[in-house]
């Protein structure tokens, strides 16, 4: 099992709120994090589309997966905190949704800064798409990471 599969499995089980909403982490890699959320009554709003809070949770989970992929082995000796997040709802979510998250800098640069300085700040951009591949929401999560060991 690769470090990225271990990170995905650990994150999938260790974030209770995302688990309760039904978010499933699909991919953790140095390039991106991907998460899915099935549309069902528990995550719908009053007009039977995906609830804004469910969409936010999906995007935040994907950003966390991307963060895990970017940090890789360094994640075990780091304390990541989502310091800020913004989301734009572009269309209603009428189907299952997929969130794809990528960091604004490459993994090597982020890891180097964390190793040398002991902390790093970077953004992760998230695109949330419906079953037809249409972007229904865009999100940016600003992560602050400090070394713990």
């Amino acid at each position: 099992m690769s470090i990225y599969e271990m990170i995905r499995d650990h994150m999938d089980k260790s974030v209770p709120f995302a688990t309760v909403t039904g978010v499933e982490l699909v991919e953790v890699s140095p390039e991106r994090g991907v998460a899915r959320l099935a549309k069902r009554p528990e995550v719908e709003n009053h007009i039977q589309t995906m609830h804004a809070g469910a969409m936010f949770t999906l995007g935040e989970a994907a950003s966390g997966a991307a963060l895990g992929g970017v940090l890789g082995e360094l994640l075990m000796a780091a304390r990541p905190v989502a310091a800020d997040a913004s989301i734009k709802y572009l269309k209603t979510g009428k189907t299952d949704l997929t969130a794809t998250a990528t960091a604004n800098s490459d993994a090597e640069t982020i890891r180097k800064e964390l190793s040398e300085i002991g902390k790093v700040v970077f953004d992760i951009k998230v695109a949330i798409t419906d079953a037809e591949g249409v972007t229904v929401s865009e999100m940016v999560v600003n992560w602050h990471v400090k070394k713990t060991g």
Side-chain angles (χ1 to χ4, degrees), residues 38-62:
K39 185 176 175 295
R40 59 194 201 292
E42 296 83 3
V43 292
E44 290 178 348
N45 59 25
H46 63 290
I47 58 170
Q48 287 71 54
T49 62
M50 198 69 80
H51 190 280
M55 292 170 69
F56 186 95
T57 300
L58 173 63
E60 197 274 341

Side-chain angles (χ1 to χ4, degrees), residues 95-106:
T95 66
D96 296 353
L97 299 178
T98 300
T100 303
T102 55
N104 67 342
S105 187
D106 66 278

Side-chain angles (χ1 to χ4, degrees), residues 14-33:
S14 67
V15 183
F17 185 72
T19 303
V20 166
T21 59
V23 170
E24 173 196 6
L25 295 182
V26 177
E27 179 184 334
V28 173
S29 73
E31 293 79 35
R32 67 187 195 164

Side-chain angles (χ1 to χ4, degrees), residues 2-116:
S2 76
I3 184 70
Y4 303 107
E5 291 168 320
M6 290 189 309
I7 290 169
R8 185 197 66 220
D9 289 347
H10 175 72
M11 292 176 105
D12 228 3
K13 296 174 182 141
S14 67
V15 183
F17 185 72
T19 303
V20 166
T21 59
V23 170
E24 173 196 6
L25 295 182
V26 177
E27 179 184 334
V28 173
S29 73
E31 293 79 35
R32 67 187 195 164
V34 179
R36 287 198 190 112
L37 181 60
K39 185 176 175 295
R40 59 194 201 292
E42 296 83 3
V43 292
E44 290 178 348
N45 59 25
H46 63 290
I47 58 170
Q48 287 71 54
T49 62
M50 198 69 80
H51 190 280
M55 292 170 69
F56 186 95
T57 300
L58 173 63
E60 197 274 341
S63 79
L67 171 115
V70 164
L71 295 181
E73 299 84 10
L74 298 179
L75 182 61
M76 301 309 177
R79 184 177 53 100
V81 175
D84 187 49
S86 63
I87 191 165
K88 292 179 184 174
Y89 300 101
L90 307 172
K91 297 183 178 284
T92 56
K94 298 177 182 176
T95 66
D96 296 353
L97 299 178
T98 300
T100 303
T102 55
N104 67 342
S105 187
D106 66 278
E108 184 179 329
T109 301
I110 291 169
R111 290 176 187 180
K112 183 178 179 188
E113 187 171 334
L114 181 60
S115 295
E116 291 178 0

